[in-house]
Structures are given as structure tokens and as C-alpha cells.
Amino acid sequence: MLAEMIGYDSSTACGHFTSGGTVANFESLWRARFRYDHWLSLGLYLAEEHQQKLDIFTACHMGWQRYHQLVQDFEIKENHLKAYSSVLSNPYKVSRLISKHTQNSYDGPIVLVLAICIFHGKKPLISLD
């Protein structure tokens, strides 16, 4: 009903509410990392296992339609991609594979970490980094 109210087709629209902007921002970062990691894992897998050229930009922006098409074309099981995931595997190993297949030095993935600092006056009481 809300989708229709703001002009979207309710049969294709999906979404949910969050408790606020902070949760929504963290969720958007998680979703972006999820997509990036899946698409890059597939690109690395194809480069390593099927001698496909790795264009890191194209791999990271392939989209779900292309992702599913490649998985189908090469008959890839999801568990085959785990070894090429910087989230589910060793990110340093994945960085070395990226360097190998792009012939460029890749220092590693960007890791986003939540940092919280609780202040009392001007001195931090607790700092979690």
C-alpha cells in the first residue's frame, strides 16, 4: 500500500522500515559490500579457474542479471566462490589474486569499522575501534 501511495508498482516494489537513518546507512553499506563481494568473487573464480580475463571494474559492477547468467553458463556452485570471497575467505589471499590477475598491485580490501567513542567532559571514557 505504501509503494502504491508514492507511485510504485506494488507487485514489484519491495522494502522495509528501519528505526532511523543510522540503521539505514549501515544496512546500505552492508548491501553494497555484499554485492561487491559476490561479483568480485565470481570474477576472480572465472579468472583463476576458467582463464577469463579479470577486469576488476567490470566484475564489481556486473549486476545480478549478469552474475546469475555467468553462474549458469559456467555451472558454478555458490560454495565454489567462497575461496575467492574477501568476506568468507582470507582477504589477503584474495588481494594477492586480484594483483595476479590485474597485473597491478592491490593492497587489500577497504574495511569499514564502526568506531564509538563515549566522552565524559573532554576525556573519552570508552573507545571501541
Side-chain angles (χ1 to χ4, degrees):
M1 290 176 1
L2 287 172
E4 286 178 5
M5 192 183 327
I6 58 174
Y8 288 99
D9 180 0
S10 64
S11 65
T12 59
C14 63
H16 63 275
F17 290 103
T18 65
S19 62
T22 302
V23 172
N25 288 333
F26 280 122
E27 185 173 316
S28 68
L29 289 172
W30 183 89
R31 288 176 179 267
R33 184 190 73 162
F34 180 85
R35 286 190 306 268
Y36 160 80
D37 187 64
H38 273 66
W39 299 342
L40 182 56
S41 298
L42 178 58
L44 283 171
Y45 173 86
L46 291 173
E48 191 74 3
E49 303 294 331
H50 294 278
Q51 293 68 49
Q52 300 288 309
K53 181 168 177 17
L54 176 65
D55 175 349
I56 196 165
F57 184 82
T58 301
C60 291
H61 296 89
M62 73 172 66
W64 287 117
Q65 185 176 0
R66 179 76 176 138
Y67 174 88
H68 292 299
Q69 186 63 53
L70 288 168
V71 166
Q72 183 180 355
D73 291 349
F74 287 92
E75 300 176 350
I76 301 168
K77 304 284 187 235
E78 288 288 326
N79 64 337
H80 294 155
L81 301 178
K82 286 183 181 179
Y84 302 95
S85 165
S86 58
V87 175
L88 301 174
S89 181
N90 181 336
Y92 298 106
K93 176 186 167 207
V94 172
S95 296
R96 287 191 299 275
L97 283 174
I98 292 171
S99 294
K100 171 185 169 185
H101 289 288
T102 61
Q103 287 83 43
N104 291 310
S105 178
Y106 181 76
D107 294 330
I110 297 170
V111 178
L112 301 173
V113 178
L114 171 64
I116 301 171
C117 192
I118 301 171
F119 285 91
H120 176 69
K122 293 185 180 183
K123 289 177 97 178
L125 292 175
I126 301 171
S127 180
L128 305 173
D129 291 332

